[in-house]
Short mmCIF file of all heavy atoms in Angstrom, two decimals:
data_model
loop_
_atom_site.label_atom_id
_atom_site.label_comp_id
_atom_site.label_asym_id
_atom_site.label_seq_id
_atom_site.Cartn_x
_atom_site.Cartn_y
_atom_site.Cartn_z
N MET A 1 107.45 137.80 106.19
CA MET A 1 107.38 136.98 104.94
C MET A 1 106.42 135.84 105.22
O MET A 1 106.38 135.21 106.28
CB MET A 1 108.73 136.48 104.64
CG MET A 1 108.84 135.54 103.41
SD MET A 1 110.35 135.36 102.74
CE MET A 1 111.19 134.08 103.67
N PRO A 2 105.49 135.64 104.28
CA PRO A 2 104.40 134.53 104.49
C PRO A 2 105.18 133.21 104.42
O PRO A 2 106.05 133.00 103.80
CB PRO A 2 103.40 134.74 103.33
CG PRO A 2 103.92 135.96 102.54
CD PRO A 2 105.33 136.42 103.05
N GLU A 3 104.47 132.38 105.16
CA GLU A 3 105.03 130.94 105.09
C GLU A 3 104.73 130.28 103.73
O GLU A 3 103.56 130.44 103.19
CB GLU A 3 104.27 130.20 106.19
CG GLU A 3 104.66 128.74 106.27
CD GLU A 3 103.96 127.89 107.28
OE1 GLU A 3 103.30 128.55 108.19
OE2 GLU A 3 103.96 126.68 107.21
N SER A 4 105.69 129.70 103.22
CA SER A 4 105.51 129.02 101.90
C SER A 4 104.72 127.62 102.06
O SER A 4 104.85 127.01 103.10
CB SER A 4 106.88 128.74 101.18
OG SER A 4 107.50 127.77 102.00
N HIS A 5 103.76 127.50 101.14
CA HIS A 5 102.98 126.21 101.09
C HIS A 5 103.83 125.14 100.39
O HIS A 5 104.67 125.50 99.46
CB HIS A 5 101.63 126.37 100.62
CG HIS A 5 100.75 127.29 101.32
ND1 HIS A 5 100.13 126.95 102.52
CD2 HIS A 5 100.35 128.56 101.19
CE1 HIS A 5 99.44 127.95 102.94
NE2 HIS A 5 99.56 129.01 102.18
N GLY A 6 103.60 123.89 100.72
CA GLY A 6 104.14 122.92 99.89
C GLY A 6 103.40 122.66 98.67
O GLY A 6 102.45 123.44 98.34
N ASP A 7 103.75 121.64 97.95
CA ASP A 7 102.96 121.28 96.68
C ASP A 7 101.52 120.95 97.09
O ASP A 7 100.58 121.10 96.34
CB ASP A 7 103.68 120.12 95.99
CG ASP A 7 105.00 120.47 95.45
OD1 ASP A 7 105.15 121.42 94.65
OD2 ASP A 7 105.97 119.82 95.98
N VAL A 8 101.40 120.34 98.25
CA VAL A 8 100.12 119.92 98.63
C VAL A 8 100.13 120.16 100.20
O VAL A 8 101.05 120.00 100.99
CB VAL A 8 99.93 118.38 98.59
CG1 VAL A 8 98.60 117.82 99.19
CG2 VAL A 8 100.02 117.98 97.07
N ASP A 9 98.92 120.76 100.63
CA ASP A 9 98.69 120.91 102.13
C ASP A 9 97.54 120.08 102.46
O ASP A 9 96.73 119.73 101.59
CB ASP A 9 98.67 122.36 102.67
CG ASP A 9 97.51 123.14 102.02
OD1 ASP A 9 96.38 122.66 101.97
OD2 ASP A 9 97.71 124.24 101.65
N TYR A 10 97.25 119.82 103.79
CA TYR A 10 96.28 118.99 104.21
C TYR A 10 95.71 119.44 105.61
O TYR A 10 96.40 119.93 106.36
CB TYR A 10 96.67 117.47 104.21
CG TYR A 10 97.71 117.16 105.22
CD1 TYR A 10 97.35 116.70 106.50
CD2 TYR A 10 99.04 117.24 104.88
CE1 TYR A 10 98.41 116.37 107.40
CE2 TYR A 10 100.04 116.90 105.77
CZ TYR A 10 99.67 116.44 107.03
OH TYR A 10 100.72 116.16 107.93
N THR A 11 94.47 119.12 105.78
CA THR A 11 93.82 119.26 107.09
C THR A 11 93.09 117.96 107.54
O THR A 11 92.42 117.33 106.82
CB THR A 11 92.69 120.37 106.97
OG1 THR A 11 93.35 121.63 106.47
CG2 THR A 11 92.11 120.67 108.27
N VAL A 12 93.34 117.64 108.78
CA VAL A 12 92.88 116.47 109.27
C VAL A 12 91.58 116.84 110.06
O VAL A 12 91.54 117.68 110.93
CB VAL A 12 93.82 115.62 110.38
CG1 VAL A 12 93.17 114.49 110.91
CG2 VAL A 12 95.13 115.39 109.51
N HIS A 13 90.48 116.12 109.68
CA HIS A 13 89.18 116.31 110.34
C HIS A 13 88.88 115.12 111.27
O HIS A 13 88.34 114.18 110.88
CB HIS A 13 88.06 116.57 109.32
CG HIS A 13 88.41 117.49 108.28
ND1 HIS A 13 88.21 118.94 108.55
CD2 HIS A 13 88.88 117.34 107.05
CE1 HIS A 13 88.56 119.51 107.43
NE2 HIS A 13 88.99 118.64 106.45
N VAL A 14 89.45 115.26 112.48
CA VAL A 14 89.49 114.03 113.39
C VAL A 14 87.97 113.51 113.57
O VAL A 14 87.69 112.29 113.49
CB VAL A 14 90.16 114.48 114.71
CG1 VAL A 14 90.11 113.26 115.67
CG2 VAL A 14 91.61 114.80 114.51
N ASN A 15 87.18 114.52 113.88
CA ASN A 15 85.74 114.12 114.26
C ASN A 15 84.97 113.36 113.02
O ASN A 15 84.17 112.48 113.23
CB ASN A 15 84.92 115.25 114.65
CG ASN A 15 85.40 115.77 116.11
OD1 ASN A 15 86.12 115.15 116.80
ND2 ASN A 15 85.06 116.98 116.31
N GLN A 16 85.45 113.74 111.77
CA GLN A 16 84.83 113.14 110.57
C GLN A 16 85.55 111.94 110.10
O GLN A 16 85.18 111.14 109.23
CB GLN A 16 84.64 114.17 109.49
CG GLN A 16 83.83 115.31 109.91
CD GLN A 16 84.03 116.56 109.15
OE1 GLN A 16 85.16 116.85 108.69
NE2 GLN A 16 83.00 117.33 109.05
N GLY A 17 86.88 111.74 110.58
CA GLY A 17 87.56 110.59 110.16
C GLY A 17 88.21 110.73 108.77
O GLY A 17 88.48 109.82 108.04
N GLU A 18 88.35 112.09 108.39
CA GLU A 18 88.87 112.32 107.02
C GLU A 18 90.01 113.32 107.08
O GLU A 18 90.12 114.12 107.91
CB GLU A 18 87.64 112.92 106.11
CG GLU A 18 86.55 112.03 106.00
CD GLU A 18 85.40 112.71 105.08
OE1 GLU A 18 85.30 113.99 105.23
OE2 GLU A 18 84.66 111.97 104.48
N THR A 19 90.66 113.32 105.92
CA THR A 19 91.75 114.33 105.76
C THR A 19 91.50 114.90 104.26
O THR A 19 91.34 114.10 103.36
CB THR A 19 93.14 113.61 105.71
OG1 THR A 19 93.33 113.13 107.08
CG2 THR A 19 94.30 114.66 105.52
N THR A 20 91.56 116.20 104.27
CA THR A 20 91.36 116.94 102.91
C THR A 20 92.71 117.52 102.50
O THR A 20 93.30 118.10 103.24
CB THR A 20 90.34 118.07 103.17
OG1 THR A 20 89.11 117.60 103.55
CG2 THR A 20 90.15 118.80 101.79
N PHE A 21 92.97 117.16 101.30
CA PHE A 21 94.30 117.54 100.63
C PHE A 21 93.98 118.61 99.67
O PHE A 21 92.92 118.54 98.96
CB PHE A 21 95.02 116.36 99.93
CG PHE A 21 95.54 115.37 100.91
CD1 PHE A 21 94.62 114.33 101.10
CD2 PHE A 21 96.70 115.43 101.40
CE1 PHE A 21 95.04 113.31 102.06
CE2 PHE A 21 97.22 114.46 102.23
CZ PHE A 21 96.37 113.29 102.54
N ARG A 22 94.85 119.65 99.45
CA ARG A 22 94.67 120.77 98.53
C ARG A 22 95.98 120.95 97.91
O ARG A 22 97.00 121.05 98.46
CB ARG A 22 94.32 122.06 99.23
CG ARG A 22 92.78 122.06 99.77
CD ARG A 22 92.58 123.21 100.76
NE ARG A 22 93.33 123.12 101.99
CZ ARG A 22 93.15 122.28 102.95
NH1 ARG A 22 92.24 121.50 102.91
NH2 ARG A 22 94.02 122.30 103.99
N ALA A 23 95.88 121.06 96.49
CA ALA A 23 96.97 121.30 95.66
C ALA A 23 97.39 122.86 95.70
O ALA A 23 96.48 123.68 95.51
CB ALA A 23 96.75 120.73 94.14
N ASN A 24 98.71 123.15 95.78
CA ASN A 24 99.16 124.41 95.73
C ASN A 24 100.07 124.74 94.45
O ASN A 24 100.45 125.85 94.17
CB ASN A 24 99.92 124.77 96.92
CG ASN A 24 99.06 124.81 98.14
OD1 ASN A 24 97.98 125.39 98.21
ND2 ASN A 24 99.56 124.09 99.12
N THR A 25 100.39 123.67 93.79
CA THR A 25 101.20 123.81 92.63
C THR A 25 100.76 122.83 91.56
O THR A 25 99.79 121.91 91.77
CB THR A 25 102.64 123.39 92.88
OG1 THR A 25 102.65 121.83 93.15
CG2 THR A 25 103.33 124.09 93.99
N PRO A 26 101.05 122.92 90.25
CA PRO A 26 100.64 122.08 89.21
C PRO A 26 101.06 120.64 89.44
O PRO A 26 100.16 119.68 89.26
CB PRO A 26 101.33 122.67 87.94
CG PRO A 26 101.43 124.12 88.19
CD PRO A 26 101.80 124.16 89.69
N GLN A 27 102.14 120.51 90.01
CA GLN A 27 102.59 119.07 90.40
C GLN A 27 101.66 118.51 91.40
O GLN A 27 101.34 117.36 91.46
CB GLN A 27 104.08 119.02 90.85
CG GLN A 27 105.08 119.54 89.87
CD GLN A 27 105.28 121.03 89.75
OE1 GLN A 27 104.55 121.86 90.48
NE2 GLN A 27 106.21 121.47 89.05
N GLY A 28 101.32 119.35 92.40
CA GLY A 28 100.40 118.74 93.47
C GLY A 28 99.02 118.50 93.02
O GLY A 28 98.44 117.47 93.33
N GLU A 29 98.57 119.31 91.95
CA GLU A 29 97.28 119.06 91.36
C GLU A 29 97.29 117.83 90.50
O GLU A 29 96.32 117.00 90.59
CB GLU A 29 96.86 120.26 90.57
CG GLU A 29 95.38 120.19 90.11
CD GLU A 29 94.78 121.39 89.62
OE1 GLU A 29 95.34 122.54 89.91
OE2 GLU A 29 93.84 121.34 88.81
N GLU A 30 98.39 117.58 89.83
CA GLU A 30 98.47 116.34 89.05
C GLU A 30 98.47 115.14 89.97
O GLU A 30 97.76 114.10 89.55
CB GLU A 30 99.72 116.38 88.25
CG GLU A 30 100.00 115.23 87.28
CD GLU A 30 101.27 115.32 86.54
OE1 GLU A 30 101.77 116.44 86.29
OE2 GLU A 30 101.78 114.23 86.18
N PHE A 31 99.18 115.21 91.10
CA PHE A 31 99.26 114.00 92.02
C PHE A 31 97.83 113.79 92.62
O PHE A 31 97.37 112.65 92.75
CB PHE A 31 100.29 114.23 93.13
CG PHE A 31 100.51 113.13 93.98
CD1 PHE A 31 101.38 111.91 93.47
CD2 PHE A 31 99.87 112.97 95.25
CE1 PHE A 31 101.44 110.80 94.29
CE2 PHE A 31 100.14 111.86 95.92
CZ PHE A 31 100.90 110.83 95.50
N LEU A 32 97.14 114.89 92.96
CA LEU A 32 95.80 114.71 93.57
C LEU A 32 94.81 114.35 92.53
O LEU A 32 93.72 113.79 92.91
CB LEU A 32 95.35 116.12 94.29
CG LEU A 32 96.15 116.52 95.47
CD1 LEU A 32 95.50 117.72 96.00
CD2 LEU A 32 96.35 115.48 96.56
N GLY A 33 95.05 114.58 91.38
CA GLY A 33 94.07 114.40 90.24
C GLY A 33 92.97 115.47 90.34
O GLY A 33 91.94 115.27 89.73
N GLY A 34 93.32 116.66 90.77
CA GLY A 34 92.55 117.80 90.78
C GLY A 34 92.91 118.69 91.96
O GLY A 34 93.96 118.48 92.54
N PRO A 35 92.08 119.83 92.09
CA PRO A 35 92.56 120.85 93.13
C PRO A 35 92.45 120.35 94.58
O PRO A 35 93.09 120.85 95.42
CB PRO A 35 91.70 121.92 92.89
CG PRO A 35 90.56 121.46 92.10
CD PRO A 35 90.97 120.20 91.35
N GLU A 36 91.57 119.48 94.82
CA GLU A 36 91.37 118.91 96.18
C GLU A 36 90.89 117.46 96.14
O GLU A 36 90.36 116.89 95.22
CB GLU A 36 90.15 119.77 96.83
CG GLU A 36 90.05 119.58 98.28
CD GLU A 36 88.93 120.57 98.86
OE1 GLU A 36 89.31 121.72 99.02
OE2 GLU A 36 87.84 120.23 99.09
N LEU A 37 91.22 116.78 97.33
CA LEU A 37 90.94 115.35 97.42
C LEU A 37 90.69 115.04 98.89
O LEU A 37 91.44 115.55 99.89
CB LEU A 37 92.14 114.48 96.95
CG LEU A 37 92.09 112.99 97.19
CD1 LEU A 37 90.89 112.42 96.30
CD2 LEU A 37 93.34 112.32 96.74
N THR A 38 89.72 114.28 99.23
CA THR A 38 89.38 113.78 100.59
C THR A 38 89.53 112.39 100.70
O THR A 38 88.96 111.59 99.92
CB THR A 38 88.05 114.32 101.10
OG1 THR A 38 87.99 115.76 101.00
CG2 THR A 38 87.82 113.94 102.54
N LEU A 39 90.29 111.97 101.75
CA LEU A 39 90.55 110.49 101.93
C LEU A 39 90.20 110.17 103.42
O LEU A 39 90.19 111.05 104.25
CB LEU A 39 91.88 110.08 101.73
CG LEU A 39 92.55 110.35 100.28
CD1 LEU A 39 94.00 109.98 100.17
CD2 LEU A 39 91.75 109.31 99.26
N SER A 40 90.07 108.89 103.77
CA SER A 40 89.99 108.58 105.21
C SER A 40 91.29 108.88 105.81
O SER A 40 92.38 108.86 105.18
CB SER A 40 89.65 107.09 105.24
OG SER A 40 90.61 106.21 104.92
N ASN A 41 91.27 108.97 107.06
CA ASN A 41 92.53 109.33 107.83
C ASN A 41 93.47 108.13 107.68
O ASN A 41 94.72 108.36 107.63
CB ASN A 41 92.18 109.60 109.26
CG ASN A 41 91.60 111.01 109.44
OD1 ASN A 41 91.62 111.76 108.59
ND2 ASN A 41 90.95 111.10 110.62
N GLU A 42 92.96 106.92 107.60
CA GLU A 42 93.81 105.70 107.50
C GLU A 42 94.61 105.72 106.09
O GLU A 42 95.81 105.46 106.08
CB GLU A 42 92.99 104.40 107.59
CG GLU A 42 92.55 104.20 108.98
CD GLU A 42 91.13 105.02 109.22
OE1 GLU A 42 90.51 105.33 108.30
OE2 GLU A 42 90.89 105.07 110.46
N GLU A 43 93.91 106.15 105.03
CA GLU A 43 94.35 106.20 103.63
C GLU A 43 95.38 107.40 103.61
O GLU A 43 96.34 107.37 102.72
CB GLU A 43 93.35 106.36 102.68
CG GLU A 43 92.42 105.15 102.50
CD GLU A 43 91.20 105.41 101.61
OE1 GLU A 43 90.51 106.43 101.88
OE2 GLU A 43 91.18 104.76 100.55
N ALA A 44 95.13 108.51 104.26
CA ALA A 44 95.92 109.70 104.20
C ALA A 44 97.39 109.42 104.59
O ALA A 44 98.14 110.02 103.93
CB ALA A 44 95.32 110.79 105.10
N HIS A 45 97.58 108.68 105.57
CA HIS A 45 98.93 108.45 106.08
C HIS A 45 99.88 107.82 104.81
O HIS A 45 100.87 108.35 104.60
CB HIS A 45 99.00 107.49 107.17
CG HIS A 45 100.40 107.17 107.70
ND1 HIS A 45 101.21 108.12 108.33
CD2 HIS A 45 101.13 106.04 107.54
CE1 HIS A 45 102.34 107.59 108.69
NE2 HIS A 45 102.33 106.46 108.18
N THR A 46 99.34 106.88 104.23
CA THR A 46 100.03 106.23 103.10
C THR A 46 100.04 107.16 101.90
O THR A 46 101.05 107.33 101.19
CB THR A 46 99.31 104.97 102.59
OG1 THR A 46 99.25 104.06 103.71
CG2 THR A 46 99.99 104.26 101.40
N PHE A 47 98.97 107.98 101.67
CA PHE A 47 99.05 108.93 100.58
C PHE A 47 100.18 109.94 100.81
O PHE A 47 100.87 110.35 99.80
CB PHE A 47 97.61 109.62 100.57
CG PHE A 47 97.49 110.47 99.31
CD1 PHE A 47 97.18 109.99 98.11
CD2 PHE A 47 97.54 111.86 99.42
CE1 PHE A 47 96.87 110.87 97.03
CE2 PHE A 47 97.35 112.63 98.35
CZ PHE A 47 97.06 112.16 97.18
N ILE A 48 100.45 110.40 101.92
CA ILE A 48 101.31 111.51 102.31
C ILE A 48 102.73 110.91 102.02
O ILE A 48 103.68 111.47 101.36
CB ILE A 48 101.23 111.98 103.64
CG1 ILE A 48 99.94 112.75 103.82
CG2 ILE A 48 102.50 112.78 104.10
CD1 ILE A 48 99.56 113.09 105.40
N GLN A 49 102.85 109.62 102.39
CA GLN A 49 104.16 108.98 102.26
C GLN A 49 104.51 108.79 100.72
O GLN A 49 105.65 109.01 100.17
CB GLN A 49 104.21 107.68 102.87
CG GLN A 49 104.30 107.70 104.37
CD GLN A 49 104.33 106.29 104.96
OE1 GLN A 49 103.72 105.35 104.50
NE2 GLN A 49 104.99 106.29 106.16
N ASP A 50 103.48 108.41 99.86
CA ASP A 50 103.56 108.26 98.43
C ASP A 50 103.99 109.61 97.74
O ASP A 50 104.79 109.66 96.86
CB ASP A 50 102.17 107.67 97.97
CG ASP A 50 101.98 106.32 98.22
OD1 ASP A 50 102.96 105.57 98.83
OD2 ASP A 50 100.92 105.81 98.11
N ALA A 51 103.25 110.64 98.23
CA ALA A 51 103.54 112.00 97.72
C ALA A 51 104.97 112.44 97.90
O ALA A 51 105.66 112.90 97.02
CB ALA A 51 102.51 113.00 98.09
N ARG A 52 105.47 112.26 99.11
CA ARG A 52 106.83 112.54 99.45
C ARG A 52 107.82 111.73 98.72
O ARG A 52 108.79 112.20 98.31
CB ARG A 52 107.04 112.44 100.99
CG ARG A 52 106.23 113.65 101.74
CD ARG A 52 106.43 113.58 103.10
NE ARG A 52 105.77 114.74 103.78
CZ ARG A 52 105.38 114.77 105.13
NH1 ARG A 52 105.49 113.70 105.81
NH2 ARG A 52 104.76 115.88 105.64
N ALA A 53 107.48 110.46 98.51
CA ALA A 53 108.34 109.66 97.81
C ALA A 53 108.51 110.06 96.26
O ALA A 53 109.43 109.86 95.55
CB ALA A 53 107.88 108.23 97.82
N LYS A 54 107.51 110.70 95.84
CA LYS A 54 107.56 111.30 94.33
C LYS A 54 108.14 112.62 94.41
O LYS A 54 108.19 113.32 93.35
CB LYS A 54 106.05 111.45 93.84
CG LYS A 54 105.25 110.20 93.81
CD LYS A 54 105.30 109.59 92.38
CE LYS A 54 104.37 108.39 92.33
NZ LYS A 54 104.78 107.48 91.24
N GLY A 55 108.70 113.13 95.57
CA GLY A 55 109.39 114.40 95.52
C GLY A 55 108.53 115.60 95.82
O GLY A 55 109.01 116.68 95.75
N LEU A 56 107.25 115.43 96.22
CA LEU A 56 106.41 116.53 96.51
C LEU A 56 106.55 116.91 98.02
O LEU A 56 106.82 116.19 98.88
CB LEU A 56 104.98 116.23 96.26
CG LEU A 56 104.64 115.88 94.84
CD1 LEU A 56 103.18 115.20 94.86
CD2 LEU A 56 104.79 116.97 94.03
N THR A 57 106.31 118.30 98.30
CA THR A 57 106.39 118.75 99.63
C THR A 57 104.95 118.74 100.11
O THR A 57 104.10 119.37 99.48
CB THR A 57 106.95 120.16 99.58
OG1 THR A 57 108.26 120.17 99.07
CG2 THR A 57 106.97 120.73 100.97
N VAL A 58 104.80 117.96 101.25
CA VAL A 58 103.41 117.84 101.71
C VAL A 58 103.45 118.46 103.18
O VAL A 58 104.29 118.05 103.98
CB VAL A 58 102.86 116.49 101.81
CG1 VAL A 58 101.49 116.35 102.41
CG2 VAL A 58 103.10 115.78 100.43
N LYS A 59 102.63 119.56 103.41
CA LYS A 59 102.53 120.18 104.74
C LYS A 59 101.22 120.29 105.37
O LYS A 59 100.17 120.44 104.59
CB LYS A 59 103.06 121.66 104.58
CG LYS A 59 104.58 121.68 104.23
CD LYS A 59 104.99 123.10 104.13
CE LYS A 59 106.48 123.29 103.89
NZ LYS A 59 106.92 124.63 103.94
N PRO A 60 101.14 120.16 106.65
CA PRO A 60 99.77 120.35 107.27
C PRO A 60 99.40 121.80 107.16
O PRO A 60 100.21 122.70 107.15
CB PRO A 60 99.96 119.83 108.76
CG PRO A 60 101.45 119.98 108.98
CD PRO A 60 102.07 119.86 107.64
N PHE A 61 98.09 122.07 107.13
CA PHE A 61 97.56 123.40 106.99
C PHE A 61 96.75 123.65 108.32
O PHE A 61 95.87 122.90 108.71
CB PHE A 61 96.57 123.53 105.86
CG PHE A 61 96.06 124.85 105.70
CD1 PHE A 61 96.78 125.87 105.02
CD2 PHE A 61 94.80 125.26 106.13
CE1 PHE A 61 96.31 127.13 104.95
CE2 PHE A 61 94.31 126.45 105.91
CZ PHE A 61 94.98 127.48 105.51
N PHE A 62 97.14 124.77 109.10
CA PHE A 62 96.49 125.05 110.31
C PHE A 62 95.72 126.25 110.11
O PHE A 62 96.01 127.25 109.54
CB PHE A 62 97.46 125.25 111.40
CG PHE A 62 98.21 123.91 111.63
CD1 PHE A 62 99.52 123.76 111.14
CD2 PHE A 62 97.69 122.94 112.45
CE1 PHE A 62 100.21 122.61 111.40
CE2 PHE A 62 98.41 121.78 112.71
CZ PHE A 62 99.73 121.60 112.20
#
């Protein structure tokens, strides 16, 4: 069985200092303001907490 994705998944680009978020559900897309969003790694931590506080499932993508 394939692994289920959350509302939003993300990839950390350590060398670039950025985190890319991708929406997997309409709720995730609404929260991101589109299908994809890139933030600094510092901003990403707070963004993940905010998304989870809104009830979204946020998972790392490997």
Side-chain angles (χ1 to χ4, degrees):
M1 180 158 80
E3 180 181 341
S4 66
H5 292 284
D7 296 300
V8 175
D9 63 41
Y10 65 94
T11 302
V12 178
H13 307 283
V14 177
N15 294 338
Q16 299 162 330
E18 296 178 335
T19 300
T20 302
F21 295 90
R22 286 165 301 281
N24 297 313
T25 64
Q27 296 86 353
E29 190 166 339
E30 182 178 336
F31 188 79
L32 293 182
E36 190 171 286
L37 176 67
T38 300
L39 298 173
S40 73
N41 289 342
E42 293 81 19
E43 294 173 302
H45 180 72
T46 302
F47 188 81
I48 291 168
Q49 290 178 330
D50 290 347
R52 288 179 175 156
K54 298 263 185 203
L56 297 172
T57 303
V58 182
K59 295 184 176 184
F61 182 80
F62 297 100

